[in-house]
Amino acid sequence: MSADDQKRISGEAAAQLVEAGMVVGLGTGSTAAWFVKALAARQLDIRGVPTSEATANLARELGIPLAALDDVKSIDLTVDGADEVGPGLSLIKGGGAALLREKLVWEASKRCVVIADAAKKVDALGKFPLPIEVVRFGHVHTGHRLADIAAEFDLLPPRLRMADRGIVVTDGGNVIYDLPSGVIAEPAALGAALKTVTGVVDHGLFLDLADEALLGTDQGVVKLVP
Ligand code: 5RP
């Protein structure tokens, strides 16, 4: 089975968790897009809270009614992808530059389900460079401070994320620094250290947030719990 098929079956399985009347957090990325498509096909009476402009556009095209995060009291269920799924369902997210809105939506949710293809499951976080969202003003200086923190954790300096058209700018108008590591030995300590830097808005370590994972594998969808 291709990675995309694994993403599709995990997204389709997650769509079955949604019930009429729910407020549903809609994740970002190619796996989350499969979820959004499968959810739209069910034509349930729900409201979706998108985690990015890209997801909002997809949901609108498919006819899913949307609400802004501030228009709902809480979210019943959020379904979203991940770049890595590590021990205890610790996650790296933000490969799609949506980590800030994603984390805000996850933290407002009663239940968070991560969906992914089998290759995303890792024994230790860190092979995927850790995305860090940084305010644009003075971001080069912030990048130097991040390099100091990286050195304290024996990690390489972070790199400003670029695309063909120049610097990648998030939906919130910020930039992304990606921190290559190999292995993040102490995710909680690293996350806390990154948050001490004034220019850092947030980072892609999602710790103690996922309630379950639905992993698409060649043998079908496998459910993981922390
Ligand atoms: C976006 C994310 C995505 O969930 C993550 O990058 C996984 O993407 P994909 O499902 O395309 O592999 O965190 O910010």
Side-chain angles (χ1 to χ4, degrees), residues 4 7 27-34 51-52 80-84 92-100 102 106 114-117 120 128 131 161 176 204 206:
D4 202 44
K7 293 177 184 201
T28 293
S30 55
T31 320
W34 281 117
T51 54
S52 63
D80 197 356
D83 299 297
E84 284 187 345
I92 287 183
K93 286 186 49 56
L99 69 94
L100 176 60
E102 288 170 341
W106 279 57
V114 62
I115 50 174
D117 54 292
K120 302 285 181 61
F128 191 92
R161 192 182 295 182
I176 298 279
F206 282 46

Side-chain angles (χ1 to χ4, degrees), residues 98-174:
L99 69 94
L100 176 60
R101 292 190 185 185
E102 288 170 341
K103 203 178 273 187
L104 285 164
V105 168
W106 279 57
E107 288 181 350
S109 302
K110 294 176 191 157
R111 181 181 177 196
C112 296
V113 175
V114 62
I115 50 174
D117 54 292
K120 302 285 181 61
K121 174 98 171 47
V122 294
D123 292 332
L125 296 178
K127 204 176 275 177
F128 191 92
L130 175 65
I132 305 165
E133 186 155 347
V134 167
V135 295
R136 220 167 166 176
F137 180 85
H139 73 81
V140 173
H141 289 266
T142 303
H144 292 152
R145 292 190 63 193
L146 292 177
D148 291 343
I149 290 178
E152 284 169 25
F153 284 81
D154 287 327
L155 304 175
L156 294 169
R159 290 187 292 251
L160 179 63
R161 192 182 295 182
M162 305 291 292
D164 293 345
R165 280 170 292 163
I167 295 175
V168 170
V169 177
T170 69
D171 286 344
N174 302 311

